[in-house]
């Protein structure tokens, strides 16, 4: 399994993205290339979630509150 963290606008890790495969299928010689692909995907997702816009972490108490659970979907 190769995985990388995903960060939100508060610069807090909220998830991870990864790939899994048997070693014989992934190949040890491809791990470096596949790791870079996974990391790039995690970085792009983090950027879309607002990561890197703030230099310091924002306390969780100041995060926007959703009006309903349906709004989260």
């Amino acid at each position: 399994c190769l995985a990388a963290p995903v960060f939100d606008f508060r610069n807090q890790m909220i998830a991870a993205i990864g790939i899994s495969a048997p070693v014989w299928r992934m190949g040890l010689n491809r791990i470096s290339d596949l790791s870079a692909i996974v990391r790039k995907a995690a970085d792009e997702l983090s950027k879309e979630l607002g990561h890197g816009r703030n230099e310091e972490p924002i306390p969780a108490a100041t995060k926007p509150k959703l009006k309903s659970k349906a709004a989260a979907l």
Side-chain angles (χ1 to χ4, degrees):
C1 176
L2 301 171
V6 176
F7 297 91
D8 68 1
F9 67 97
R10 297 172 290 157
N11 297 329
Q12 295 182 354
M13 188 177 78
I14 58 164
I17 189 168
I19 59 172
S20 296
V23 174
W24 58 267
R25 190 168 191 186
M26 188 180 296
L28 293 175
N29 56 339
R30 294 187 63 209
I31 289 178
S32 179
D33 293 336
L34 294 172
S35 294
I37 292 168
V38 170
R39 181 62 190 195
K40 182 178 178 186
D43 288 345
E44 289 175 2
L45 181 55
S46 295
K47 185 176 179 181
E48 288 194 28
L49 294 172
H51 176 65
R53 293 183 189 157
N54 301 310
E55 293 182 14
E56 297 181 23
I58 298 171
T62 63
K63 71 179 183 179
K65 294 182 181 177
L66 300 175
K67 293 182 181 180
S68 69
K69 289 185 180 181
L73 302 176

